[in-house]
Amino acid sequence: AYVTGITFSRDFPQANPLNSRYAGEGASFVVQVSEDGSELLHTTFLGGAMEDAGYAVALDRWGYVYVAGVTASPGFPTTTAAFDRTFNGGEDAFVAEINPSWSGLYYATFLGGTGDERAHGIAVDEAGKAHVAGGTDSPDFPATPGAYDTSYNGQDAFVAKLNVLGTALEFATF
């Protein structure tokens, strides 16, 4: 079982952590629990110095763990080639992929515009591409040309699909 959320506990239980440092006002966490629920197999904090929350988690057929949520942290740990390494203000959605050994982030990216975004759902297709759904208050949310709806209508839902490497959007629509 894989679980994500937010904790305000500095003594959050740790097991083979990718990142054991609680750094924020509320920290996003990801946990892998054994099949019978008897032990924590892996844990990690994911975020920066402000409040971060994981809202959705998915697993692909190779064992990569995908997490989507919200961050208010300009210092959220994006990866070098991520789609968006720049905090856009307010709250941004984030998407991260943890490698199967929990030894590092395969990718981590912001997703949003100058308003607030929250990613509430994530699914992974057979190719390992993350499909993310959430809400946005940003007229400049990065909708892609040719997408179903490229116009902001006020507090919109969004759906986006990242490429396998997390370096580009294959599509994003209001």
Side-chain angles (χ1 to χ4, degrees):
Y2 295 83
V3 180
T4 189
I6 184 172
T7 182
F8 297 93
S9 177
R10 293 188 181 278
D11 62 349
F12 191 82
Q14 299 291 312
N16 303 307
L18 168 60
N19 175 17
S20 62
R21 187 171 164 259
Y22 179 95
E25 298 173 5
S28 175
F29 69 85
V30 186
V31 174
Q32 180 186 13
V33 180
S34 64
E35 190 171 317
D36 66 2
S38 65
E39 66 179 307
L40 294 178
L41 300 176
H42 294 283
T43 60
T44 192
F45 290 122
L46 186 58
M50 303 301 286
E51 189 170 294
D52 311 287
Y55 286 150
V57 63
L59 185 69
D60 72 14
R61 63 183 172 162
W62 300 284
Y64 288 86
V65 180
Y66 298 75
V67 184
V70 62
T71 181
S73 297
F76 186 87
T78 59
T79 50
T80 304
F83 162 68
D84 186 355
R85 298 193 68 207
T86 304
F87 182 68
N88 299 293
E91 294 179 328
D92 278 358
F94 73 80
V95 183
E97 182 179 348
I98 301 169
N99 68 29
S101 65
W102 287 65
S103 60
L105 291 173
Y106 187 71
Y107 71 77
T109 186
F110 292 112
L111 179 58
T114 53
D116 291 338
E117 282 77 29
R118 290 177 178 249
H120 290 284
I122 191 165
V124 183
D125 66 21
E126 286 296 314
K129 298 175 183 180
H131 300 249
V132 184
T136 180
D137 288 330
S138 296
D140 59 346
F141 181 83
T144 54
Y148 168 72
D149 184 356
T150 58
S151 300
Y152 177 67
N153 303 292
Q155 294 188 334
D156 283 13
F158 72 81
V159 178
K161 178 180 176 182
L162 287 154
N163 70 1
V164 172
L165 301 174
T167 58
L169 291 174
E170 292 199 358
F171 74 79
T173 185
F174 290 101

